[in-house]
Amino acid sequence: MNVSRLITAGLLTCATVLPVQAQDWPARPVEIVVPFGAGGSSDLLARSYAAAIQEEELLGQPLSILNVGGHSSVGNRRVMDAKPDGYTFLVTEPGLLGAHAAGVTDFGHEDYKPVALTGEVCMAILVRKDAGYDSLGDLLADAAENPNGLVFGVNFGGLNHISGILLEQAADAKFRFAQIGGGADNFAALTGGQTAVASVGAAGARSFTMTKDGQPSDESQVKALALLAQEPDDRLPGVQTAREQGVDVSFCYGNYWLAPKETPDAIVAAFADILEEASNSDRIQTYYNDTLTTPTFLREAAFGDYLAEQDAIVGPIARMATSN
């Protein structure tokens, strides 16, 4: 893809002359900031896209990944404050929205230019097999009858915590949330009996409860009780959605690509084109399947509308999560 030609062709109707940075982009390597350590879901997503873009020769310049450890706000702010010249982009997730809503940061999605949403991952609810729960309704009834009696492992203010609060609200239930961490830590706490419930990404639920050929594992001590998705997923066979079980809860998180707010529209559009084309590559389709990612793609203004909608959902729950 000749990106310079693409940008020029897309703006032939404009009377103004294109800015130099749009005409020449990209003239050097482009950096993708991941505001988390290496090996996490956002990092794997960014690296998969970088590999696909290189393999498909879509950019014409190297695409490098920079992991910024510590709290995600550090990496998020780095991109917000970066020079808006089209050489720095951000891959992040709804923690950006939650941190702003909870007052952890003083910036939110409005402080960036939306580039694209590249897929969504839904959360799943895990319990021990010997807990005696045959449905999500059984679990929530127990949490309603015995408030604070069931320990729900979370990362306070995180996606798993928000999942638990949404379930509480839907069923007038009350869990006792305990700081455990992410998916692997919660699986260990659940199997070790320190917790009674966990919420993990759908791919984690599959790896923790099923064999490599997609069958329920007899060796696993846990089972997936519900998928918090709008529709069932045949990549997680035998697991009903919460809605199929009469509980009106769905909670999925998106993969956000953002740019510094003043990045030229032409460059943002060109990079969105590249991401959209990469999304159709064999590598990304395999990545989506392996990670149980729903291959949703939204770009620019449509993605901006999506962010505003998500902010209206995540914000109040994030404020509640940090106040509990």
Side-chain angles (χ1 to χ4, degrees):
M1 172 185 290
N2 187 317
V3 176
S4 296
R5 186 180 303 160
L6 183 153
I7 296 173
T8 304
L11 297 178
L12 283 177
T13 57
C14 294
T16 56
V17 177
L18 283 174
V20 172
Q21 66 263 39
Q23 290 179 341
D24 296 339
W25 185 87
R28 54 186 172 82
V30 175
E31 182 178 80
I32 305 299
V33 173
V34 177
F36 308 100
S41 58
S42 294
D43 178 61
L44 293 175
L45 172 87
R47 292 182 187 279
S48 294
Y49 266 88
I53 289 168
Q54 180 177 351
E55 290 165 359
E56 303 294 327
E57 299 181 346
L58 301 178
L59 187 63
Q61 289 286 343
L63 192 62
S64 63
I65 307 298
L66 175 65
N67 295 96
V68 179
H71 194 277
S72 60
S73 61
V74 178
N76 290 339
R77 182 178 288 279
R78 180 187 180 101
V79 175
M80 183 183 73
D81 293 338
K83 186 176 180 180
D85 56 4
Y87 291 98
T88 306
F89 293 90
L90 175 69
V91 171
T92 192
E93 41 79 33
L96 171 72
L97 312 179
H100 183 224
V104 176
T105 63
D106 58 358
F107 58 91
H109 70 92
E110 303 95 336
D111 297 295
Y112 300 85
K113 183 163 287 187
V115 180
L117 172 82
T118 55
E120 290 185 299
V121 177
C122 297
M123 303 296 284
I125 303 301
L126 303 184
V127 296
R128 288 179 59 92
K129 287 180 179 178
D130 60 9
Y133 303 122
D134 294 323
S135 69
L136 182 61
D138 290 345
L139 172 68
L140 295 178
D142 194 5
E145 293 170 8
N146 301 287
N148 294 311
L150 298 178
V151 179
F152 195 129
V154 300
N155 188 25
F156 280 122
L159 299 172
N160 48 18
H161 194 180
I162 293 173
S163 299
I165 291 175
L166 288 171
L167 291 176
E168 285 185 326
Q169 292 179 332
D172 197 25
K174 184 64 178 175
F175 296 108
R176 178 156 59 91
F177 294 113
Q179 174 63 37
I180 300 295
D185 291 334
N186 270 288
F187 175 70
L190 190 60
T191 56
Q194 287 84 36
T195 60
V197 195
S199 177
V200 300
R206 182 172 64 178
S207 66
F208 295 146
T209 66
M210 295 185 175
T211 62
K212 290 183 178 180
D213 59 358
Q215 298 301 313
S217 172
D218 293 333
E219 297 180 0
S220 177
Q221 299 177 56
V222 305
K223 64 180 180 181
L225 207 57
L227 178 66
L228 304 186
Q230 296 277 354
E231 302 290 341
D233 192 327
D234 58 11
R235 297 170 298 181
L236 203 59
V239 181
Q240 290 187 312
T241 66
R243 290 184 170 182
E244 287 180 299
Q245 300 179 60
V247 181
D248 190 17
V249 173
S250 63
F251 185 54
C252 307
Y253 63 93
N255 300 308
Y256 302 168
W257 294 76
L258 302 167
K261 192 172 181 65
E262 300 304 320
T263 303
D265 290 342
I267 292 178
V268 169
F271 192 51
D273 283 339
I274 289 169
L275 292 173
E276 187 167 11
E277 191 166 348
S279 293
N280 296 319
S281 67
D282 289 343
R283 176 181 284 274
I284 297 303
Q285 291 301 309
T286 298
Y287 172 84
Y288 282 163
N289 187 60
D290 289 346
T291 59
L292 276 72
T293 298
T294 301
T296 305
F297 189 90
L298 295 174
R299 55 181 295 156
E300 299 165 276
F303 175 40
D305 291 341
Y306 169 94
L307 285 171
E309 293 169 0
Q310 289 297 297
D311 201 21
I313 296 169
V314 171
I317 304 299
R319 285 189 286 271
M320 188 180 301
T322 53
S323 66
N324 283 358

